[in-house]
């Protein structure tokens, strides 16, 4: 249900503006073209749409915009969930229905004869918008069922964090940026808006086909430079946010669940006298779970990549049949587009291929980026470690081991904190030793040691003996409760690293010890005054 509570609102907030953009494209030009003798549908003559189609199309767009507005108010908590969520679902379903009617009737009632008529790009944009509206509305309906029928989470979007809301704002901003560029460059180059969107899409995604819509004016070429830089930066932010929020947090939950399952299995087959063996088993389980998580993420992103690649190739094979593309040609074009190579020797020319290319690349190219990132954690990571190991024993003079390199690398952001806490620890330790308060001095020294570990790039995993020492210093024991290592706020399963968790607990203990010692000191002074 985590996906229903967190993932579905994020999907709706992300793809809602994209669906609105598709609806705008559906209104940008007539839905039909007449193919001239010896010509193609690309340069066909536009046939004006009937008034009823324009009315339905316009009302559908207005309904979708209002639905997106209510969704935004829901996220901002300006309108209650119980009001905004049903209205959003109803209005998006209404938008889909209003588009579905002309989509169904156009071919039956208007397009005849079929051999010299064809659909324009706007028709296919309307089809894409309809599919998106239905998917988003259905997902939001699932979210409502989880909140009201199954009651597994509260009926609100309050669980969404600020970074998650930021992702949705980034997507909305990118949709506006894409539409703005499409309108501006279409006006400068005398293109239709849908062709401007097609150009803006492959430009910002760095595919750079450029063969069918080259920039011919100096003004357009000059504006393209800052426009492309801004769009690429926005895409980088979106891809980074998707990876950090959706993948990292989702994988953390999956890993924690797997660890808990393995922990319960171990508890059934062990006894309390085997605490060290239990701890070491947990370490082994952690390593296996972490490796499984990485390769599961790699397999998932690879499967998504191959699906989008082969599915895209299949669609382009069908849409570009007038160009006599083979399936291998479609695979080649899809592959070069996914890798943003963009040779430009093949490109979609059909009115159905270009709209599909836009929505396909908006989904597929970020997926490819995530796949590369997952490769960096697994396959590329192993290759990098092997290369560094080989270099240490061949051409590099520094013979430090990988473990020493990891332990000696401190993050830049933690240097100031590390210095401040070490200074504080030194002062407290000196003062405590002068007064003979050895417990506070011991805690201060432990804090000094722990803060060195918080700045590492690779979080430190403490040995059993180290845990024994620190837990004894804190006055804690893992044998006090069976779920000590399993608890969500415990040292192994909390959202904090082990060193941060220990630092937090030691600071709490230091505060408690200092308060007690000051009270004892005050009581001693009072008793001395009474004796006098």
């Amino acid at each position: 249900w985590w996906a229903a509570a967190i993932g579905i609102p994020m999907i709706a907030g992300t793809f809602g503006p994209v669906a609105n953009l598709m609806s705008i494209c559906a209104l940008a030009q007539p839905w039909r073209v007449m193919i001239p003798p010896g010509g193609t549908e690309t340069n066909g003559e536009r046939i004006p749409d009937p008034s009823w189609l324009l009315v339905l199309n316009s009302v559908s767009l207005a309904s979708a915009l209002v639905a997106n507005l209510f969704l935004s108010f829901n996220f901002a908590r300006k309108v209650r969930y119980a009001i905004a969520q049903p209205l959003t679902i109803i209005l998006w379903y209404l938008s889909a229905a209003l588009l579905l009617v002309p989509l169904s009737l156009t071919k039956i009632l208007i397009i005849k004869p079929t051999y010299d008529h064809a659909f324009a790009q706007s028709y296919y944009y309307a089809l894409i918008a309809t599919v998106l509206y239905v998917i988003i509305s259905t997902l939001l309906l699932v979210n409502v069922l989880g909140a009201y029928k199954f009651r597994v989470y509260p009926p609100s979007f309050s669980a969404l964090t600020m970074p998650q809301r930021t992702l949705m704002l980034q997507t909305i901003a990118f949709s506006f940026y894409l539409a703005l560029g499409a309108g501006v460059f279409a006006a400068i180059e005398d293109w239709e808006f849908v062709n401007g969107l097609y150009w803006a899409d492959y430009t910002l995604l760095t595919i750079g086909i450029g063969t069918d819509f080259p920039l011919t004016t100096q003004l357009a070429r000059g504006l393209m430079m800052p426009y492309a830089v801004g769009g690429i930066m926005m895409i980088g932010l979106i891809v980074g946010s998707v990876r950090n929020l959706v993948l990292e947090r989702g994988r953390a939950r999956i890993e924690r669940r797997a660890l808990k399952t393995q922990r319960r299995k171990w508890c059934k087959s062990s006894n309390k006298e085997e605490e060290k063996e239990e701890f070491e088993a947990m370490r082994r389980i952690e390593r296996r779970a972490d490796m499984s998580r990485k390769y599961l993420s790699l397999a998932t992103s690879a499967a998504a990549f191959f699906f989008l690649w082969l599915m895209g190739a299949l669609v382009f094979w069908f849409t570009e049949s007038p160009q006599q593309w083979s399936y291998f040609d479609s695979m080649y074009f899809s592959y070069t587009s996914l890798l943003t190579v963009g040779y430009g020797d093949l490109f979609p020319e059909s009115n159905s291929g270009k709209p599909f290319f836009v929505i396909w690349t908006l989904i597929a190219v970020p997926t490819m980026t995530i796949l590369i990132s997952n490769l960096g954690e697994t396959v590329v990571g192993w290759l990098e470690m092997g290369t560094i190991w080989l270099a240490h024993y061949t051409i590099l003079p520094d013979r430090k081991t990988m473990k020493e390199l990891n332990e000696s690398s401190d993050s830049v952001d933690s240097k100031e904190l590390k210095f401040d806490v070490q200074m504080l620890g030194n002062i407290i330790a000196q003062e405590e030793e002068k007064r003979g308060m050895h417990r506070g001095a011991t805690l201060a020294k432990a804090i000094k040691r722990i803060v060195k570990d918080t700045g590492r790039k690779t979080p430190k995993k403490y040995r059993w003996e180290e845990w024994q020492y620190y837990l004894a210093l804190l006055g804690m024991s893992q044998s006090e409760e069976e779920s000590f290592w399993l608890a969500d706020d415990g040292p192994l399963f909390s959202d904090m690293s082990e060193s941060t968790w220990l630092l937090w607990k030691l600071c709490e203990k230091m505060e408690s010890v200092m308060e007690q010692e000051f009270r004892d000191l005050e009581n001693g002074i009072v008793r001395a005054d009474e004796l006098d």
Side-chain angles (χ1 to χ4, degrees):
W1 288 105
W2 175 86
I6 304 297
I8 286 178
M10 290 179 61
I11 292 173
T14 300
F15 284 94
V18 176
N20 293 154
L21 181 58
M22 301 295 106
S23 288
I24 293 173
C25 291
L27 266 173
Q29 64 176 182
W31 283 18
R32 302 166 296 152
V33 295
M34 180 177 290
I35 304 174
T40 62
E41 63 182 24
T42 305
N43 53 11
E45 180 183 351
R46 306 299 176 196
I47 302 175
D49 291 329
S51 57
W52 61 267
L53 192 151
L54 292 174
V55 170
L56 290 178
N57 208 346
S58 301
V59 175
S60 173
L61 176 59
S63 175
L65 291 173
V66 174
N68 216 20
L69 186 64
F70 273 109
L71 183 67
S72 301
F73 286 156
N74 197 353
F75 285 132
R77 303 174 191 173
K78 301 296 184 182
V79 179
R80 290 193 302 119
Y81 178 93
I83 298 175
Q85 191 77 334
L87 285 175
T88 302
I89 295 172
I90 292 171
L91 289 173
W92 264 335
Y93 271 133
L94 177 62
S95 299
L98 291 173
L99 284 177
L100 190 60
V101 171
L103 284 171
S104 304
L105 297 179
T106 300
K107 188 170 185 178
I108 299 174
L109 301 180
I110 300 175
I111 299 294
K112 52 183 180 182
T114 57
Y115 62 86
D116 62 351
H117 288 70
F119 291 119
Q121 293 185 50
S122 54
Y123 175 87
Y124 296 101
Y125 276 115
L127 181 61
I128 294 172
T130 302
V131 173
L132 289 177
Y133 288 144
V134 171
I135 292 175
I136 296 171
S137 302
T138 305
L139 290 176
L140 288 177
L141 186 60
V142 173
N143 179 268
V144 171
L145 292 176
Y148 286 105
K149 182 175 178 59
F150 300 103
R151 301 181 183 277
V152 290
Y153 45 80
S156 69
F157 289 156
S158 59
L160 291 174
T161 62
M162 185 56 66
Q164 291 165 345
R165 298 172 191 271
T166 302
L167 170 62
M168 291 180 287
L169 290 176
Q170 290 170 350
T171 308
I172 294 172
F174 178 73
S175 299
F176 278 113
Y177 193 78
L178 194 65
L180 177 64
V184 170
F185 285 95
I188 295 174
E189 293 290 332
D190 196 22
W191 299 333
E192 291 183 316
F193 178 80
V194 290
N195 291 328
L197 181 67
Y198 169 67
W199 174 88
D201 175 75
Y202 70 62
T203 298
L204 297 186
L205 292 173
T206 67
I207 299 173
I209 298 175
T211 307
D212 48 349
F213 290 100
L215 298 178
T216 58
T217 64
Q218 297 299 326
L219 176 60
R221 291 172 179 172
L223 289 177
M224 183 276 297
M225 299 178 189
Y227 177 72
V229 171
I232 292 170
M233 291 175 62
M234 295 176 71
I235 292 173
L237 290 173
I238 292 172
V239 171
S241 298
V242 169
R243 173 170 174 77
N244 292 333
L245 296 177
V246 179
L247 296 182
E248 294 295 340
R249 298 196 177 200
R251 290 188 308 184
R253 288 174 176 268
I254 294 173
E255 181 180 0
R256 184 175 299 179
R257 184 174 300 175
L259 286 171
K260 287 183 178 180
T261 302
Q262 295 293 330
R263 173 68 168 86
R264 292 190 184 99
K265 291 180 181 179
W266 174 261
C267 289
K268 292 179 180 179
S269 60
S270 63
N271 55 67
K272 293 184 179 180
E273 296 178 357
E274 299 173 338
E275 291 174 356
K276 183 176 181 180
E277 294 182 10
E278 179 181 343
F279 175 83
E280 292 175 350
M282 282 300 301
R283 284 295 190 219
R284 292 193 297 270
I285 292 171
E286 273 188 315
R287 289 191 292 269
R288 289 198 298 266
D290 182 64
M291 188 60 63
S292 299
R293 172 189 60 79
K294 289 180 179 179
Y295 281 99
L296 177 61
S297 299
L298 175 62
T300 303
S301 56
F305 167 77
F306 280 105
F307 171 76
L308 290 169
W309 175 30
L310 299 178
M311 182 272 294
L314 184 64
V315 174
F316 287 121
W317 184 32
F318 175 76
T319 61
E320 303 309 311
S321 56
Q323 297 191 67
Q324 298 182 348
W325 281 14
S326 65
Y327 184 68
F328 181 79
D329 291 333
S330 300
M331 289 180 62
Y332 167 77
F333 168 75
S334 301
Y335 188 78
T336 55
S337 298
L338 278 175
L339 269 65
T340 66
V341 177
Y343 287 123
D345 50 347
L346 293 176
F347 54 88
E349 294 183 359
S350 65
N351 289 339
S352 57
K354 291 176 182 177
F356 176 76
F357 176 84
V358 171
I359 190 65
W360 176 73
T361 51
L362 288 175
I363 299 173
V365 172
T367 302
M368 177 64 194
T369 306
I370 294 173
L371 171 61
I372 293 174
S373 179
N374 287 330
L375 284 171
E377 286 189 346
T378 52
V379 179
V380 178
W382 286 109
L383 292 175
E384 182 182 6
M385 290 178 62
T387 303
I388 294 175
W389 179 86
L390 181 63
H392 279 310
Y393 290 95
T394 53
I395 60 175
L396 293 182
D398 188 4
R399 294 302 181 92
K400 287 185 177 181
T401 63
M402 295 295 296
K403 182 178 180 181
E404 290 172 340
L405 288 173
N406 288 333
E407 291 181 351
S408 63
S409 59
D410 292 332
S411 63
V412 177
D413 296 337
S414 65
K415 287 184 178 179
E416 186 175 351
L417 172 65
K418 174 181 174 181
F419 177 78
D420 292 341
V421 176
Q422 282 182 326
M423 289 294 295
L424 178 62
N426 287 330
I427 295 172
I428 294 176
Q430 292 172 3
E431 293 295 325
E432 292 289 307
E433 288 179 348
K434 289 179 182 179
R435 298 179 183 179
M437 301 178 182
H438 301 295
R439 190 177 183 188
T442 304
L443 286 170
K445 291 178 180 178
I447 290 174
K448 287 168 54 182
R449 288 195 297 269
I450 293 296
V451 77
K452 294 179 181 179
D453 299 331
T454 59
R456 295 184 176 184
K457 292 182 179 179
T458 303
K460 181 176 180 179
K461 300 289 186 180
Y462 293 95
R463 301 188 308 274
W464 166 256
E465 292 77 13
E466 292 174 309
W467 273 113
Q468 288 286 87
Y469 170 76
Y470 288 121
L471 291 178
L473 188 61
L474 291 168
M476 302 172 62
S477 174
Q478 68 274 18
S479 60
E480 292 177 358
E481 51 177 326
E482 295 183 1
S483 61
F484 177 80
W485 298 111
L486 182 62
D488 289 338
D489 58 348
L492 297 182
F493 290 89
S494 69
D495 294 332
M496 298 179 287
S497 64
E498 293 182 17
S499 56
T500 305
W501 187 91
L502 277 174
L503 184 61
W504 173 48
K505 290 294 184 181
L506 286 170
C507 289
E508 283 187 339
K509 189 67 175 179
M510 171 68 78
E511 182 180 0
S512 174
V513 168
M514 295 295 291
E515 289 177 354
Q516 182 62 43
E517 290 182 348
F518 277 123
R519 283 195 297 268
D520 293 342
L521 182 60
E522 290 177 355
N523 292 335
I525 294 174
V526 170
R527 286 195 297 270
D529 292 340
E530 291 176 352
L531 291 174
D532 292 340

